[in-house]
Amino acid sequence: MTPSRSGVFQSAADQRVEKFTASIQVDHRMYHQDIRGSRAHAEMLAHVGLIRPDEQAQIDKVLAEIEGELDRGEFAFRTELEDIHMHIEQALIDRLGDVGRKLHTGRSRNDQVSTDLRLWVRDSVDALDRAIGELQMAFVGRCDADRDVVLPAYTHLQRAQPVLAPHYWLAYCEKLDRDRSRLADCRRRANVCSLGVAAVAGTSLPIDRQRVADSLGFEGVARNSLDVSSDRDFALELAFTLALLATHLSGWAEEWILWSTSEFSFLRLPQAFCTGSSIMPQKVNPDVLELIRGKSARVLGNLQALMVLVKGLPLAYNRDLQEDKPPLFDSVDTVLACLELAAPMVAGAELRRDVIAERLEEGYLDATTLMEHLIQQQVPQRTAHHLVGQLVREAMQRKVPLRQLPTDVFQAAHEALAGNVADVLGVDAAIRRFVSYGSTAPPEVEFQVAYWKNRLACNS
Ligand code: ARG
């Protein structure tokens, strides 16, 4: 009979129930966290006199041994033990008898599961934060080499205005930065100790929750036992943060898939991150990027699963909560795998400068700058917009870029265009006209690159 069935139960569980209710196949991954929590709990029990110091020493030693066996894959899992918490406790009891039976004093699996998951989320957030930092570094690492490359910026996927390539790279750094800050926020709310709330109402035993919180590095102790034994907000917050991060990665992957097509030809992807076709010998396919885009679907689905899981649960612990781990673990694994591949792809891709430059004349990327040139000469914005629109139409009819229109066409359009339109037209001239904060103006981009280099060096 398993520890939780002794006493009131007179029969063992139906084997189908054992199988149906087990979570060991998923939660075994939390063994480090479980052992950390148990060691801290036992230390506290000894401190307040609920167990003797020599008993604590034995528990501590055997827990460390069990951890070693789990690390080396030598630990035997048993089907009748539901989860990692029961496995570790039973192994302790098997080796220490009554001393092992004392570990569960003043705690329940409800607070134990919650604590382990909080520790696991904390560890995962730290790993994710590092991996995002690597990807940001890959983007920033390209900025110096790509500093003079001008790319078209798109709106509605139509050519819009010229931007410097680092402006693109830093746009992704910004998105990833918000992901990091959401992770930090999620970590802050996960970083509260739930151990010691016991099953639901607290305990009549003289435990010291602050001591456990301190030894596990938690920033605070949960105030309400009812709340915290049902709380999975931190898991949902992580799932949301990952869904948004996966969405950012998916958008980037889509962009680079487009950029690597022969239609765009902006980018050559590193071959080690591409795959071939079994039938078409010429193919070099961007499968990794496609899968980064594709896997975001599962990460979004995991968030949905978790939201639906907790919707409508009355206080406090309900067994439904055991279902939180598969989607959460999957989201963390999936996003970490995507980040791990994204960073070397970003570092190793090659911009096809010649092809990009050749086609910068297309799309009238300098039209807005020409309009602003008129505005600076007191032409009302709506009028300037209309005039430049007409000039673009004229250029389209003649199949030339704006800067190749004859001077008399400019002059006829507006007297303010009689002089030096050459200072405004063409992407290089247009780029130099930008001045606003956060724009693609070269000094502005330079400044932002320096900001990011400094920021990432400080964070790493
Ligand atoms: N394996 C369960 C889980 O992960 C343990 C729950 C224990 N609590 C309970 N009342 N059965 O959630």
Side-chain angles (χ1 to χ4, degrees):
M1 205 80 89
T2 66
S4 64
R5 286 184 78 83
S6 62
V8 74
F9 286 90
Q10 290 186 325
S11 65
D14 185 296
Q15 282 206 337
R16 286 166 298 188
V17 170
E18 267 178 18
K19 191 163 174 241
F20 184 70
T21 56
S23 54
I24 184 62
Q25 64 286 0
V26 176
D27 61 28
H28 66 90
R29 289 179 57 165
M30 299 198 300
Y31 76 87
H32 279 304
Q33 289 79 11
D34 195 68
I35 285 176
R36 268 180 84 186
S38 287
R39 292 176 81 172
H41 180 68
E43 193 280 331
M44 178 279 289
L45 291 178
H47 180 76
V48 300
L50 283 164
I51 62 173
R52 292 194 316 266
D54 64 297
E55 292 174 327
Q56 186 239 328
Q58 291 177 60
I59 290 173
D60 201 62
K61 181 164 161 281
V62 173
L63 284 173
E65 269 168 35
I66 294 172
E67 188 169 29
E69 287 166 26
L70 279 155
D71 283 340
R72 293 188 298 275
E74 290 164 5
F75 186 89
F77 290 101
R78 290 155 50 174
T79 46
E80 74 274 18
L81 294 174
E82 177 184 306
D83 53 29
I84 189 63
H85 324 290
M86 300 275 256
H87 270 87
I88 292 172
E89 188 189 354
Q90 190 57 52
L92 191 75
I93 293 170
D94 290 347
R95 297 167 203 208
L96 291 178
D98 273 350
V99 174
R101 285 191 187 90
K102 293 189 176 184
L103 175 65
H104 215 48
T105 304
R107 78 173 187 190
S108 85
R109 264 186 308 153
N110 298 352
D111 55 349
Q112 194 181 349
V113 172
S114 155
T115 302
D116 292 0
L117 191 58
R118 283 165 189 275
L119 292 173
W120 191 88
V121 162
R122 229 170 58 177
D123 293 344
S124 302
V125 163
D126 295 344
L128 285 158
D129 188 66
R130 274 192 300 277
I132 302 175
E134 301 274 306
L135 179 54
Q136 286 180 311
M137 270 194 255
F139 277 119
V140 173
R142 298 193 59 105
C143 286
D144 285 344
D146 296 338
R147 61 189 292 185
D148 299 323
V149 180
V150 176
L151 285 164
Y154 293 83
T155 63
H156 314 270
L157 205 53
Q158 304 288 324
R159 290 184 166 225
Q161 290 186 282
V163 293
L164 293 173
H167 205 50
Y168 260 104
W169 310 154
L170 297 188
Y172 283 109
C173 278
E174 294 288 347
K175 290 183 196 304
L176 294 168
D177 193 50
R178 290 193 294 276
D179 294 323
R180 288 181 89 170
S181 103
R182 268 183 288 272
L183 279 175
D185 215 27
C186 155
R187 191 189 198 283
R188 203 162 54 77
R189 275 184 288 276
N191 204 15
V192 171
C193 188
S194 44
L195 205 61
V197 309
V200 64
T203 172
S204 57
L205 298 169
I207 61 170
D208 181 348
R209 297 190 55 210
Q210 187 61 53
R211 191 174 179 88
V212 178
D214 290 344
S215 68
L216 292 174
F218 284 118
E219 261 161 38
V221 176
R223 275 189 299 271
N224 185 303
S225 64
L226 258 179
D227 167 49
V228 80
S229 51
S230 69
D231 175 29
R232 289 295 183 274
D233 290 3
F234 61 96
L236 268 71
E237 284 185 43
L238 179 56
F240 168 71
T241 301
L242 293 174
L244 191 46
L245 171 50
T247 306
H248 290 151
L249 294 177
S250 178
W252 160 76
E254 166 67 9
E255 186 157 280
W256 277 30
I257 290 167
L258 281 174
W259 284 13
S260 65
T261 58
S262 40
E263 283 71 14
F264 270 81
S265 291
F266 285 5
L267 208 59
R268 222 175 258 119
L269 297 171
Q271 282 214 345
F273 294 85
C274 293
T275 52
S277 154
S278 55
I279 178 167
M280 296 168 283
Q282 85 282 14
K283 293 299 291 293
V284 180
N285 293 328
D287 294 38
V288 173
L289 290 173
E290 290 168 280
L291 282 168
I292 289 176
R293 184 178 59 188
K295 283 172 192 284
S296 67
R298 209 144 39 81
V299 178
L300 289 160
N302 289 338
L303 171 64
Q304 173 85 344
L306 283 164
M307 295 295 292
V308 178
L309 178 70
V310 297
K311 175 198 81 68
L313 289 186
L315 289 174
Y317 178 84
N318 293 277
R319 190 62 180 271
D320 313 47
L321 293 177
Q322 179 176 294
E323 289 290 315
D324 59 358
K325 282 158 217 77
L328 186 67
F329 290 1
D330 181 61
S331 285
V332 171
D333 293 344
T334 305
V335 171
L336 274 173
C338 292
L339 288 166
E340 201 175 300
L341 287 173
M345 286 193 87
V346 167
E350 189 194 324
L351 279 179
R352 301 182 65 181
R353 292 157 179 261
D354 297 346
V355 186
I356 295 167
E358 237 166 60
R359 290 175 37 201
L360 284 173
E361 298 282 23
E362 290 169 26
Y364 304 96
L365 296 167
D366 47 4
T368 309
T369 319
L370 181 63
M371 177 193 75
E372 289 177 348
H373 175 65
L374 279 169
I375 293 172
Q376 282 182 323
Q377 293 171 80
Q378 318 314 321
V379 180
Q381 192 271 343
R382 288 290 167 219
T383 314
H385 183 281
H386 179 74
L387 287 174
V388 175
Q390 285 180 324
L391 287 169
V392 169
R393 194 158 46 137
E394 180 69 33
M396 283 167 122
Q397 272 159 8
R398 295 176 186 231
K399 297 193 174 51
V400 292
L402 279 172
R403 64 184 178 80
Q404 281 172 20
L405 282 176
T407 32
D408 57 322
V409 174
F410 285 112
Q411 212 159 339
H414 197 282
E415 61 197 10
L417 297 179
N420 49 358
V421 279
D423 291 357
V424 186
L425 295 176
V427 289
D428 293 321
I431 284 269
R432 283 194 299 274
R433 305 287 291 199
F434 286 96
V435 289
S436 58
Y437 176 78
S439 73
T440 197
E444 195 59 37
V445 172
E446 243 0 75
F447 173 79
Q448 302 280 351
V449 171
Y451 164 82
W452 276 106
K453 281 185 183 167
N454 186 32
R455 173 85 188 272
L456 294 176
C458 295
N459 276 358
S460 63

